[in-house]
Amino acid sequence: MKLIAKSAEMQSISESHRLAGKKIAVVPTMGYLHEGHISLIKKAKELADVVITTLFVNPTQFAPNEDFEKYPRSPERDYNLAQENGSDYLFNPATEEMYPGGFHSAINMTGITDKFEGEKRHNHFNGVATVVAKLFNITKPHIAVFGQKDYQQTLAIYQLVRDFLFDLKVVVAPTIRENDGLAMSSRNVYLSSAEREKAGVIYKSLSDALLVIEKGENRRKIINAVLHNTLRSVHEIKIDYASAADADTLEEPDVFLPGEHVILVIAVYLGKTRLIDNALITIPNDPHIKKHYFV
Ligand code: AMP
């Protein structure tokens, strides 16, 4: 695997692969790689000839009060993991390479990004969209692989690709979880061992809500109450939001109709650590027929 730090070099490598008729997939990450990231690299390898993993902790998607400085970093370990799992390139630019003096452009997103994460994390999706657009122009992919773990981010990326006519296909891969259901995240390292033991409650609350929907519940208030009640069983949890929403628009109707796709979205603080998770389900036509869902 080749390590690339300069955008111009990455662009010329990607261009030559394109000219040779190779299909390129990119996996954007902020590093501190875990099984979730690795599943995306493996998916990219299945779908393309050339896999570029990008590693960049993007300052513009963190608010000033957030964890940019202390975000966990392990570039050497990341290099080895990316290589072992089939990545052909690791694009790891310095901040000045991505945001050189004189960089004054930013993408401003509205709509799907106004709620939930966008409401709680000011400017977050503008930072994500700006860096992802740059990474697309640098790596010139045919395919870009993202995780369902950041569900609203996947909607934002679809929107970005539509709005700016990026000529690539977005692929979303399922959330990889620990044994107790906790979604893998680079931020899980912040949890104390006592907090870690309690973190499974996030998955439990999603599972409880999925179960009542499966049994025929379609009123948002009741579904949300199930999410909240389970989360509240752990006193150390502070709920940022926990809600059912339309999976395509993130609208929050009072009642979901049969056949509608619903996303359950959660953000909580466990101690000082902010964790997010989600689960997707289709409202059953007949409450007695179990529907496929995945979390
Ligand atoms: P991050 O490094 O946290 O910015 O994440 C980089 C990519 O990995 C994003 O597309 C995330 O959605 C994805 N990702 C993070 N955690 C997981 C997970 N547990 N399962 C699957 N994908 C994940």
Side-chain angles (χ1 to χ4, degrees):
M1 187 180 71
K2 205 164 171 211
L3 179 65
I4 313 284
K6 297 291 174 195
S7 305
E9 190 188 356
M10 190 72 254
Q11 281 178 312
S12 91
I13 288 171
S14 289
E15 189 58 28
S16 53
H17 283 302
R18 279 189 163 253
L19 289 172
K22 301 290 186 201
K23 202 177 243 193
I24 302 171
V26 68
V27 181
T29 83
M30 297 205 301
Y32 210 70
L33 300 185
H34 51 65
E35 288 296 326
H37 299 113
I38 288 166
S39 74
L40 306 188
I41 295 172
K42 287 183 173 161
K43 170 61 77 181
K45 195 74 189 169
E46 260 171 57
L47 299 174
D49 305 306
V50 177
V51 175
I52 305 171
T53 303
T54 73
L55 164 48
F56 181 61
V57 185
N58 174 36
T60 67
Q61 71 190 69
F62 290 79
N65 60 327
E66 292 180 354
D67 57 342
F68 173 69
E69 294 297 340
K70 71 164 188 168
Y71 194 83
R73 291 160 168 91
S74 60
E76 278 163 31
R77 188 174 154 271
D78 290 347
Y79 179 93
N80 292 330
L81 281 172
Q83 172 163 266
E84 284 159 19
N85 289 285
S87 190
D88 299 290
Y89 297 93
L90 185 68
F91 178 61
N92 181 206
T95 304
E96 308 77 65
E97 179 70 10
M98 294 298 277
Y99 299 110
F103 184 89
H104 287 305
S105 304
I107 291 174
N108 182 40
M109 295 198 76
T110 57
I112 206 90
T113 55
D114 289 343
K115 302 180 71 172
F116 302 124
E117 285 300 281
E119 189 185 347
K120 298 290 180 181
R121 302 187 65 191
H122 189 60
N123 259 328
H124 171 68
F125 286 116
N126 293 339
V128 169
T130 302
V131 82
V132 167
K134 291 197 65 152
L135 291 171
F136 286 168
N137 285 330
I138 293 166
T139 59
K140 308 187 185 196
H142 300 88
I143 295 167
V145 187
F146 293 87
Q148 191 199 316
K149 161 73 170 43
D150 298 273
Y151 182 79
Q152 193 176 6
Q153 174 172 278
T154 66
L155 296 183
I157 301 294
Y158 283 124
Q159 181 81 47
L160 177 76
V161 166
R162 274 197 303 276
D163 288 350
F164 286 89
L165 302 125
F166 283 107
D167 190 11
L168 55 84
K169 187 174 173 227
V170 174
V171 171
V172 176
T175 304
I176 306 297
R177 300 177 177 283
E178 304 282 0
N179 287 338
D180 66 346
L182 177 65
M184 292 199 179
S185 165
S186 307
R187 289 187 168 99
N188 291 350
V189 72
Y190 297 151
L191 298 171
S192 69
S193 54
E195 287 165 348
R196 175 63 193 87
E197 271 176 32
K198 299 191 167 165
V201 74
I202 302 168
Y203 179 69
K204 182 164 190 311
S205 73
L206 291 171
S207 305
D208 289 350
L210 289 172
L211 203 62
V212 296
I213 295 171
E214 218 179 69
K215 286 185 177 156
E217 184 55 70
N218 61 353
R219 293 163 293 177
R220 187 172 52 83
K221 262 192 183 167
I222 309 288
I223 299 166
N224 288 3
V226 173
L227 289 172
H228 283 248
N229 280 341
T230 303
L231 289 170
R232 274 199 224 106
S233 68
V234 170
H235 298 303
E236 295 83 350
I237 290 240
K238 189 174 144 274
I239 301 172
D240 215 8
Y241 59 78
S243 188
D246 181 291
D248 302 314
T249 63
L250 297 186
E251 279 162 16
E252 294 169 280
D254 291 340
V255 171
F256 296 105
L257 303 177
E260 272 184 355
H261 303 303
V262 172
I263 189 77
L264 308 174
V265 284
I266 290 182
V268 298
Y269 285 91
L270 180 46
K272 286 187 175 148
T273 305
R274 188 171 184 280
L275 300 170
I276 62 169
D277 203 350
N278 67 80
L280 193 59
I281 185 167
T282 304
I283 298 290
N285 288 316
D286 177 335
H288 302 296
I289 299 174
K290 282 199 173 177
K291 288 281 161 176
H292 169 78
Y293 58 79
F294 63 98
V295 290

